[in-house]
């Protein structure tokens, strides 16, 4: 038994018009005035959002999953130290390189992924080519290198917060080393500048 729900033409047009409206736009609400505390809270959330933009979450997830295995839960010998160093280096390189990737939709609506070069966007699977004027919009700029460096720094802060990695490389740190290990991740996270459009 099939149930059909028929809408009259007026309801169909209303639903079609709603689909065309941009999200998060409400013209009826006036802009709010904020006091200093509200501005500080807004700035904190904005900085957190910028950190999220700089850090490839897939790389962090892979690191969080592999870290206990590679470090033997923080009980490292020479082999596990080498494997942990390799894991941190590969994940850091991934954070840097992923800052040079981008995507776009082709004429058919398919999403194409590419790697930014100095001449434009190199399509990874080679399924399409961009016109030179459009490809130039995707070329590497100085800010891409800055994002890459900041992404690596944020990943380094996450790696320094991981107890398995810290126990692997610094099993019994002295007081000065412990202070550095405690302060460095917070300092790195605070020094990441907001994203420049």
């Amino acid at each position: 038994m099939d149930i059909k729900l028929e809408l009259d033409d007026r309801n169909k047009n209303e639903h079609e018009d709603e689909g065309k409206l941009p999200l998060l736009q409400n013209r009826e609400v006036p802009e709010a005035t904020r006091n200093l505390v509200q501005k500080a809270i807004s700035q904190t959330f904005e900085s957190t959002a910028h950190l999220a933009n700089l850090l490839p979450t897939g790389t962090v997830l892979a690191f969080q999953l592999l870290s206990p295995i590679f470090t033997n839960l923080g009980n490292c010998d020479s082999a596990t130290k080498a494997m942990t160093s390799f894991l941190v280096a590969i994940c850091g390189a991934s954070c840097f390189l992923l800052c040079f990737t981008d995507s776009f939709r082709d004429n058919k609506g398919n999403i194409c992924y590419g790697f930014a070069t100095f001449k434009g966007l190199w399509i990874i699977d080679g399924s399409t080519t961009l016109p030179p004027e459009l490809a130039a919009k995707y070329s590497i700029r100085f800010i891409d290198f800055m994002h890459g460096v900041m992404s690596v720094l944020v990943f380094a802060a996450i790696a320094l917060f991981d107890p398995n990695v810290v126990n692997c490389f610094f099993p019994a740190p002295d007081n000065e080393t412990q202070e550095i290990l405690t302060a460095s991740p917070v300092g790195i996270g605070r020094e990441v500048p907001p994203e420049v459009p």
Side-chain angles (χ1 to χ4, degrees), residues 66-88 162-172:
L66 295 175
S67 169
I69 299 166
F70 277 45
T71 62
N72 192 22
L73 295 174
N75 301 319
C76 288
D77 56 13
S78 60
T80 53
K81 270 189 184 181
M83 290 190 317
T84 304
S85 299
F86 181 73
L87 174 67
V88 171
D162 188 284
N164 295 323
V165 173
V166 172
N167 289 336
C168 183
F169 292 112
F170 306 101

Side-chain angles (χ1 to χ4, degrees), residues 33 47-48 58 71 77 111-112 115 118-120 126 161-162 181-182:
T33 57
S47 296
T48 305
T71 62
D77 56 13
I111 298 175
C112 299
F115 194 77
F118 289 107
K119 295 181 180 180
F161 268 133
D162 188 284
L181 290 172
T182 304

Side-chain angles (χ1 to χ4, degrees), residues 8 15 42 76 87 106 109 114 117 122 125 130 146 149 175 178:
D8 60 355
H15 290 294
S42 177
C76 288
L87 174 67
D106 64 6
T117 65
W122 172 67
D125 65 358
L130 288 174
M146 290 303 297
V149 169
N175 288 339
Q178 186 62 41

Side-chain angles (χ1 to χ4, degrees), residues 8-180:
D8 60 355
D9 290 336
R10 185 176 49 89
N11 278 344
K12 285 183 183 178
N13 290 338
E14 285 178 10
H15 290 294
E16 288 175 4
D17 290 341
E18 285 178 8
K20 294 179 183 176
L21 292 175
L23 297 176
L24 299 176
Q25 182 177 3
N26 191 348
R27 296 182 185 180
E28 299 167 2
V29 179
E31 186 174 333
T33 57
R34 297 179 178 166
N35 61 27
L36 289 177
V37 174
Q38 291 168 330
K39 287 180 183 178
I41 291 171
S42 177
Q43 181 64 35
T44 302
F45 284 125
E46 185 179 341
S47 296
T48 305
H50 290 311
L51 284 176
N53 288 338
L54 291 174
L55 185 64
T57 53
T59 302
V60 173
L61 179 63
F63 174 76
Q64 293 292 335
L65 289 173
L66 295 175
S67 169
I69 299 166
F70 277 45
T71 62
N72 192 22
L73 295 174
N75 301 319
C76 288
D77 56 13
S78 60
T80 53
K81 270 189 184 181
M83 290 190 317
T84 304
S85 299
F86 181 73
L87 174 67
V88 171
I90 289 295
C91 289
S94 172
C95 287
F96 184 78
L97 291 176
L98 287 175
C99 288
F100 297 97
T101 60
D102 210 337
S103 63
F104 67 94
R105 288 191 183 273
D106 64 6
N107 295 337
K108 296 178 183 176
N110 299 324
I111 298 175
C112 299
Y113 298 95
F115 194 77
T117 65
F118 289 107
K119 295 181 180 180
L121 193 67
W122 172 67
I123 308 305
I124 294 172
D125 65 358
S127 61
T128 187
T129 57
L130 288 174
E133 61 276 356
L134 184 59
K137 292 180 181 179
Y138 293 99
S139 63
I140 293 178
R141 297 173 298 185
F142 176 73
I143 194 69
D144 296 324
F145 287 103
M146 290 303 297
H147 283 170
V149 169
M150 293 299 134
S151 181
V152 170
L153 287 176
V154 172
F155 174 74
I158 288 174
L160 287 174
F161 268 133
D162 188 284
N164 295 323
V165 173
V166 172
N167 289 336
C168 183
F169 292 112
F170 306 101
D174 58 1
N175 288 339
E176 290 177 359
T177 306
Q178 186 62 41
E179 288 175 7
I180 291 171

